[in-house]
Amino acid sequence: METLKTLIIGSGPAGYTAAIYAARADLKPILYTGMEPGGQLTTTTEVDNFPGYPDGIDGPTMMVQLQQQAERFGTEVRIGFINKVEFATQKGEMHKAFAEDGTEIYAQTIIISTGATAKYLGLPSEQRLRGGGVSACAVCDGFFYKGQDVAIVGGGDTAAEEATYLAKICSKVTMLVRKDEMRASKAMQHRVTSTPNIDLRYNTEIDEVLGEQVVEGLRMKNNQTGALEEIPITGLFIAIGHKPNTEIFKGQLDMDEAGYLITKGKTTETNLSGVFASGDVQDKDYRQAVTAAGTGCMAALDAERYLQGI
Ligand code: NDP
């Protein structure tokens, strides 16, 4: 059993920024990385919009640097995940967290930065072929489809970014957008429409992923006309948004209907004393690396103030 001032759960920009601030405030934080050390940015290519990188930086490099920065001030980073937390309900009481390796941690404050995870469509054929050509991460898996025809579903920034990434590796990318417009930013839309080997289909959804063991094709449906069309592909990428990673906090922390943690006013405070939330786990509106980092900073400052007051 360990006793600490601050436990940080999650290793995206929010978690590491919270760690930098908490460590500099001498809170001696321990950070558990979770299932995907470095978080969502490790699955992205260029990050062009994080201030301070005039030439951009690739996501995995940025996350390694954030980890090093957090460690430089004394954060202990542990590769592993917390699978249960018993939150104290009274101010000043210790929260109890259980790591997957059996470690039990008593913490005065907990900063939750567990982020969000990719969503899938839920079609049986899509689920059957996950790992057999269906993926939610173009950057992780795109390489396997070098020189081949693939498809991507979604109309947000993720889909646009991944479609342009895939277009560099694959011979053709069919992009399915269910509405007659894309949600992605104008700049990202421009990138898509100016890439010659992206075949952009509006008002189009997946009717069925074809193939038994591996993806062999796609049956698409135009949701305006009902017309069906089959195309041969070997890879299908799903880029339709994310779900917050809050399962283990259900019943203890206040969440909205989608499962995002609710924080009070302009703070990172949850409904329980000494428990703070930062990053995508509490933000379904902005969801940027820089906003996640900003709220990570806020969570550490909130935790420090809370500790001073007990
Ligand atoms: P979004 O929620 O922004 O977009 C999801 C997309 O998937 C929408 O086009 C949505 O369609 C579509 N979709 C959802 N469900 C289905 C379904 N069942 N079938 C077909 N299509 C579906 O998620 P993103 O992951 O794209 O982006 C999340 C956040 O991260 C955003 O704020 C985005 O700006 C940001 N981001 C920024 C990047 C950058 O700046 N470099 C890169 C990547 C993401 P509809 O519009 O019809 O609802």
Side-chain angles (χ1 to χ4, degrees):
M1 193 197 76
E2 293 174 300
T3 304
L4 43 146
K5 285 185 180 156
T6 301
L7 170 68
I8 299 169
I9 312 176
S11 57
Y16 280 134
T17 306
I20 292 165
Y21 274 77
R24 283 170 54 87
D26 210 22
L27 303 185
K28 300 187 171 45
I30 291 180
L31 179 150
Y32 272 80
T33 59
M35 302 277 268
E36 189 179 54
Q40 292 176 71
L41 278 186
T42 56
T43 64
T44 198
T45 40
E46 282 294 297
V47 180
D48 275 336
N49 50 11
F50 200 92
Y53 295 99
D55 302 319
I57 183 166
D58 70 279
T61 305
M62 185 178 165
M63 296 320 298
V64 169
Q65 291 182 350
L66 271 171
Q67 179 177 342
Q68 288 169 345
Q69 195 175 353
E71 286 174 331
R72 188 177 133 218
F73 298 111
T75 304
E76 183 183 336
V77 175
R78 293 186 182 167
I79 311 289
F81 62 93
I82 299 291
N83 49 20
K84 187 177 149 195
V85 184
E86 286 171 8
F87 292 110
T89 48
Q90 298 300 316
K91 190 172 180 180
E93 280 179 7
M94 290 281 199
H95 306 287
K96 194 173 173 187
F98 302 83
E100 109 251 42
D101 64 358
T103 308
E104 291 183 14
I105 298 164
Y106 282 86
Q108 286 178 293
T109 61
I110 296 186
I111 296 175
I112 299 168
S113 313
T114 48
T117 299
K119 281 186 195 166
Y120 283 85
L121 298 165
L123 289 171
S125 54
E126 171 212 48
Q127 292 304 307
R128 191 182 69 241
L129 291 163
R130 273 176 70 171
V134 174
S135 162
C137 178
V139 179
C140 319
D141 301 328
F143 177 78
F144 300 120
Y145 306 96
K146 198 170 179 202
Q148 300 171 34
D149 288 0
V150 298
I152 185 161
V153 189
D157 280 324
T158 303
E161 186 180 83
E162 296 199 340
T164 48
Y165 173 80
L166 289 167
K168 289 186 202 140
I169 306 171
C170 305
S171 47
K172 183 181 170 190
V173 181
T174 303
M175 182 169 180
L176 285 66
V177 178
R178 67 179 173 182
K179 289 190 184 140
D180 60 359
E181 57 181 9
M182 288 171 72
R183 193 190 294 194
S185 63
K186 289 281 176 268
M188 294 303 288
Q189 291 192 34
H190 179 70
R191 270 204 220 176
V192 168
T193 51
S194 58
T195 304
N197 60 336
I198 297 179
D199 179 9
L200 180 57
R201 306 289 191 99
Y202 287 111
N203 296 315
T204 304
E205 294 176 45
I206 295 185
D207 189 56
E208 183 91 44
V209 191
L210 306 174
E212 280 307 314
Q213 304 298 323
V214 292
V215 173
E216 293 167 8
L218 195 62
R219 188 162 63 234
M220 308 185 287
K221 184 177 184 177
N222 183 306
N223 58 28
Q224 298 298 300
T225 64
L228 296 172
E229 183 184 346
E230 286 188 10
I231 54 165
I233 54 160
T234 49
L236 171 65
F237 294 87
I238 312 293
I240 60 166
H242 294 81
K243 183 177 176 291
N245 297 319
T246 52
E247 208 57 45
I248 62 166
F249 310 121
K250 275 203 174 127
Q252 297 193 79
L253 294 179
D254 288 349
M255 304 175 186
D256 69 10
E257 67 291 340
Y260 286 88
L261 295 182
I262 294 172
T263 49
K264 289 184 195 163
K266 288 183 183 172
T267 75
T268 61
E269 289 168 21
T270 66
N271 55 306
L272 295 179
S273 297
V275 183
F276 307 91
S278 61
D280 287 10
V281 74
Q282 53 85 55
D283 171 23
K284 62 179 172 200
D285 298 317
Y286 299 102
R287 295 186 289 195
Q288 299 299 297
V290 67
T291 52
T295 55
C297 158
M298 289 162 61
L301 294 177
D302 287 343
E304 191 186 354
R305 277 188 203 128
Y306 169 82
L307 288 166
Q308 280 164 359
I310 57 172

